[in-house]
């Protein structure tokens, strides 16, 4: 049993293999949080709370003259607004009488085998999970709350979600409903989060928590390039290989909020959930609001271990379908090769070359439909431009298939161009506030996916294209942030629901998609990684990591991404030189070294390559395929930080049995009269004897890990190295 409830102490303890989470029902049903950390057995940690009379910390009415009990001091399991806890609140409502307070007290609990699922929203799956549901009630109003906990014991994962039920006789508004509130009786913590912008996502930032509130989030209608819905709290001394850390991510693709507050008594609270901006959900009596899910992982073994656990948890319990296990195709995408300027013949010439070089699939990106020869028009018209393709899509796919290549296609289903047939027919399908000009982004408007008929209409068009030809991959793009939020289908008092209803509409479409086309490999995209989150990964096992294909900038982007997302999730391509985003020149081989740390492909005109480069492509594809399992399923080690002093960015993949290791490094700074760059490997068998592929050189695991690898003196800027080590069979004793 991973979920314990002690009837005497009224303590709930959730146990995983290496972690534990504890809360307790105390006086008058108040549910306090006691612990999340290293595994402990059934105990009662409430002795750690010092009861004393603290000035300006009020007390629940029932306590009368006992001033030692304050909601403003005790760590809370799910903090409520308006009843004396002045710290960050997880839930806030507008009651029928206009008041804001809600005071949830313990009512009942149930423990169930299997992990709960959320209807209409992505959530972690897995038979082996267990569920705890705690029901709370506000005695004054009748408002109810269900706190959901999912426990995956072996994977060290605990999930949380909340459901707010209107148990009153009045209409109530939910003003804020976080998925999680997590209190710590300490403040000596750092927080790590991943910020960015278009074409430079998920940059790593670590800072000490300060008194007061620090927050990240998105009000863009998508999880965004600017902040990722994944944060880590960790001890000051925590590094890659040691120390306590807590990873918390939201399984959600819309606007989100994460806030850490250090209070007056040097305690910390983290809340995370749907962005409370632009949010107000109306509940009629008996109705409920379900929050998305949060995933939490704790380890005392440092950030590398945290990432390994995240990679495993996401792979085992988020990623679904055929392409979870099946080797993903190495693809060539025509976007950076042609942009909108292509013909059917041009695509076929790229496909022909791709086949020669060992590539598996041609992906036709933007520009194949409607009036779409630039990004000013055509979105919403999901009809094939046969004139441009020189025939039907089926014919094109057949020709490509005939060459022995798979065929994939780009869509941007959530958008509409004003210059389109769809817009002429359904101008009201676009999100806009009546009487106010709508902001445009990339010259396009966003479709109102909170409306069922809009989702159904687009779905019908998309599905009919997919039914027309043998399409084995789809790239699902989303190229602007949402603004002017309003839905003509909802009354004024429900406009605060549009943002979340949009996400629910998107999830409904995606669920229909994966059910109807289980064989299609879906790749998520939002101008690169603007919606790189666990919500999207539930439907699309890989996501185009960034529109920045510059190998050197990708070092940071992929480094940041690796903290919370598995390597298989990272769409990554070799592109042309000079790079189209930065104009930087990097060696061809370096672009492959970086792109191989993901789901690999190419995005350039293969016909324009030199014979040497074509030979290199052949070798690279072969090498990637040979190491596919190691890269996709091995343990990923960040060996140096691209933000650090080391003149090389380095990482490695180690097989679960520790017998194989692929070491990769890119020189990031040149130096005259250079000192040696030594990188220490990790995760090997210290006693093992590892042969460096292509040589007779043998090193012990301990030499590689404690001594390290000496990089050669680089002969050009951004030189890179890929060393494959394999353990020799041990001679019989
Ligand atoms: C943004 C994507 O990230 C690119 O890869 C490409 O698909 C363009 N959109 C097409 O408009």
């Amino acid at each position: 049993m991973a979920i314990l409830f002690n009837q005497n102490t009224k303590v709930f303890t959730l146990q995983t293999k290496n972690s534990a989470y504890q809360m307790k029902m105390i006086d008058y049903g108040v549910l306090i949080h006691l612990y999340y950390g290293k595994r402990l057995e059934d105990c009662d940690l409430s002795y750690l709370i010092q009861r004393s009379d603290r000035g300006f910390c009020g007390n629940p009415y029932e306590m009368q003259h006992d001033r030692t009990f304050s909601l403003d001091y005790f760590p809370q399991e799910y903090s409520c607004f308006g009843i004396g806890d002045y710290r960050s609140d997880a839930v806030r409502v507008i009651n029928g009488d206009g008041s804001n307070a809600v005071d949830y007290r313990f009512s009942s609990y149930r423990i169930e085998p299997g992990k709960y699922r959320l209807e209409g929203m992505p959530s972690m799956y897995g038979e082996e999970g267990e569920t705890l549901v705690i029901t709370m009630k506000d005695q004054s109003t009748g408002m109810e709350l269900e706190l959901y906990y999912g426990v995956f014991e072996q994977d060290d994962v605990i999930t949380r979600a909340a459901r707010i039920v209107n148990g009153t006789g009045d209409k109530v508004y939910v003003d804020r409903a976080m998925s999680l509130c997590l209190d710590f009786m300490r403040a000596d913590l750092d927080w790590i989060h991943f910020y960015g912008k278009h074409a430079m996502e998920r940059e790593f930032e670590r800072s000490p928590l300060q008194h007061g509130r620090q927050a990240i989030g998105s009000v863009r209608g998508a999880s965004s390039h600017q902040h990722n819905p994944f944060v880590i709290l960790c001890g000051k001394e925590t590094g890659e290989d040691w120390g306590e850390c807590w990873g918390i991510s939201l399984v959600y693709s819309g606007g989100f909020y994460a806030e850490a507050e250090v209070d007056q008594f040097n305690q910390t609270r983290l809340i995370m959930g749907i962005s409370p901006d632009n949010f107000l959900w109306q509940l009629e009596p008996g109705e409920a609001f379900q929050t998305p899910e949060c995933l939490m992982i704790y380890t005392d073994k440092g950030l590398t271990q945290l990432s390994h656990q995240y990679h495993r948890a996401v792979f085992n319990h988020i990623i679904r379908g055929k392409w979870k296990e099946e080797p993903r195709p190495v693809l060539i995408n025509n976007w950076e090769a042609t942009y909108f300027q292509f013909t059917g013949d041009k695509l076929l010439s790229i496909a022909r070359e791709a086949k020669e070089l060992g590539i598996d699939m041609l992906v036709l990106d933007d520009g194949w439909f409607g009036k779409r020869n630039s990004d000013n028009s055509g979105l919403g018209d999901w009809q094939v431009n046969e004139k441009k393709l020189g025939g039907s899509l089926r014919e094109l796919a057949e020709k490509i298939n005939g060459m022995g290549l798979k065929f994939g296609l780009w869509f941007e289903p959530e958008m509409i161009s004003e210059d389109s047939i769809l817009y002429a027919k359904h101008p009201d399908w676009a999100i806009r506030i009546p009487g106010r000009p709508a902001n445009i982004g990339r010259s396009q408007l966003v479709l109102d996916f909170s409306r069922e008929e809009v989702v159904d209409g687009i779905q019908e068009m998309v599905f009919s294209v997919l039914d027309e030809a043998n399409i084995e991959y789809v790239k699902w793009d989303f190229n602007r942030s949402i603004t002017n939020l309003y839905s003509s289908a909802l009354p004024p008092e429900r406009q605060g629901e549009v943002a979340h209803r949009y996400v629910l509409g998107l999830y409904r479409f995606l669920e229909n998609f994966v059910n109807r086309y289980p064989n299609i490999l879906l790749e998520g995209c939002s101008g690169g990684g603007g919606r790189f989150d666990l919500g999207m990964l539930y439907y699309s096992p890989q996501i185009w990591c960034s529109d920045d294909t510059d190998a050197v900038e990708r070092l940071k982007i992929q480094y940041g991404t690796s903290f919370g997302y598995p390597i298989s999730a990272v769409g990554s391509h070799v592109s042309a030189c000079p790079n189209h985003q930065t104009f930087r020149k990097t060696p061809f081989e370096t672009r492959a070294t970086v792109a191989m740390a993901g789901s690999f492909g190419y995005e350039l005109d293969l016909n324009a390559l030199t014979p040497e480069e074509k030979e290199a492509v052949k070798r690279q594809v072969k090498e990637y395929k040979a190491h596919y399992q190691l890269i996709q399923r091995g343990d990923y080690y960040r060996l140096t930080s691209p933000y650090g002093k080391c003149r090389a960015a380095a990482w490695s993949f180690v097989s679960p049995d520790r017998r194989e290791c692929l070491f990769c490094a890119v020189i990031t700074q040149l130096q005259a009269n250079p000192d040696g760059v030594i990188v220490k490997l990790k995760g090997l068998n210290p006693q093992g004897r590892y042969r460096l592929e292509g040589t007779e050189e043998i090193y012990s695991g301990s030499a590689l890990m404690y001594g390290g690898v000496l990089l050669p003196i680089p002969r050009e800027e951004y030189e890179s190295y890929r060393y494959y080590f394999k353990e020799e069979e041990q001679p019989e004793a």
Side-chain angles (χ1 to χ4, degrees), residues 56-58 70-74 84-87 263-265 267:
F56 287 83
C57 289
S70 175
L71 297 176
D72 201 24
Y73 170 68
F74 286 14
D85 182 353
Y86 297 95
R87 297 168 289 175
D263 73 13
Q264 56 185 329
F265 301 112
Q267 306 181 104

Side-chain angles (χ1 to χ4, degrees), residues 1-52:
M1 274 294 274
I3 300 174
L4 315 174
F5 178 62
N6 186 317
Q7 291 287 354
N8 300 321
T9 58
K10 305 285 183 249
V11 166
F12 291 95
T13 306
L14 316 183
Q15 291 172 327
T16 71
K17 203 165 60 174
N18 298 296
S19 71
Y21 183 100
Q22 194 174 88
M23 58 204 142
K24 174 177 168 107
M25 194 233 299
I26 56 166
D27 318 47
Y28 305 102
V30 171
L31 188 65
I32 57 168
H33 176 80
L34 289 175
Y35 179 79
Y36 184 29
K38 206 170 163 73
R39 182 182 162 113
L40 37 82
E41 303 311 316
D42 183 22
C43 63
D44 178 358
L45 288 177
S46 60
Y47 64 84
L48 295 173
I49 297 176
Q50 196 151 52
R51 293 196 179 205
S52 73

